Amino acid sequence: QVQLAQSGAEVKKPGASVKVSCKASGYTFNNYGISWVRQAPGQGLEWMGWISADNVPNYVQKFQGRVTMTTDTSTSTAYMELRSLRSDDTAVYYCARGVWYDYWGQGTLVTVSS
Amino acid sequence: DIQMTQSPSSLSASVGDRVTITCRASQGIGNFLAWYQQKPGRAPKSLIYDASSLQSGVPSKFSGSGSGTDFTLTISSLQPEDFATYYCQQYSRYPRSFGGGTKVEIK
């Protein structure tokens, strides 16, 4: 069955970087893009960007220059790196498959605190 | 950018009620709209795609309709497991965008 398994929770200081992984299984990784969505505590869903099946990224303007999304097809893993972290980056970060998101990772809590 | 506006932001309903949630796009998106259900502490779950297509494994009490700018999600008979927050999302244009969510609570 299709699964997206994300890396574990992270605690970072302001100004640091975080890299979250999303390992796919149960389908042909190269056939689907991966999107990244975050959710701040008590808030709604915020789309951050996606990386297409042919490895072309598309980022929300808000995160341009701070985010990098990549894939490693040899391990069927997608990565999202966010730099220059601020306290308002504290959120659960999700990866999700496809054009509409039929499968989601379990989420990775990133806490930014001094 | 396309703004997605859901209404209401919250509602109280009883088991067995028919519930309708609306989602409006700031510009036409064809039928490129999905609906998700999220329970506390859990990842969102896909319910509907292409505005009215039921995701595999989702019960038929969920239905979606609409095209262009106005869309609805209907739950025909609310059950205890349906109390959750529901989000719409457009995938017509970049950047993708979500509605603000509708929290369905027990009356």
Side-chain angles (χ1 to χ4, degrees), chain A residues 35 37 39 43-47 50 58-61 94 99-107, chain B residues 34 36 38 41-46 48-50 55 87 89 91 94-100:
Chain A
S35 290
V37 176
Q39 186 170 39
Q43 302 302 307
L45 302 172
E46 179 180 25
W47 191 81
W50 96 309
N58 187 311
Y59 307 137
V60 166
Q61 179 80 16
Y94 295 103
V99 176
W100 70 86
Y101 309 139
D102 54 356
Y103 290 93
W104 294 67
Q106 82 275 20
Chain B
Y36 304 93
Q38 188 180 34
R42 304 294 298 274
K45 172 187 173 183
S46 174
I48 301 283
Y49 64 96
D50 290 348
Q55 185 69 46
Y87 294 93
Q89 182 232 343
Y91 49 96
Y94 291 106
R96 310 306 199 208
S97 46
F98 290 91

Side-chain angles (χ1 to χ4, degrees), chain B residues 11-49:
Chain B
L11 65 90
S12 295
S14 300
V15 172
D17 283 354
R18 180 182 179 90
V19 169
T20 297
I21 298 167
T22 65
C23 178
R24 174 164 288 175
S26 61
Q27 58 186 272
I29 59 170
N31 68 337
F32 296 112
L33 184 103
W35 289 96
Y36 304 93
Q37 176 194 66
Q38 188 180 34
K39 297 181 179 179
R42 304 294 298 274
K45 172 187 173 183
S46 174
L47 297 176
I48 301 283
Y49 64 96

Side-chain angles (χ1 to χ4, degrees), chain B residues 6 14 20 32-33 35-36 39 54 60-61 65 67 69 80 83 88 91 95 97-99 102 104 107:
Chain B
Q6 282 183 241
S14 300
T20 297
F32 296 112
L33 184 103
W35 289 96
Y36 304 93
K39 297 181 179 179
L54 198 64
S60 58
K61 61 182 171 180
S65 65
S67 67
T69 60
F83 292 95
C88 62
Y91 49 96
S97 46
F98 290 91
T102 296
V104 177
K107 183 183 282 185

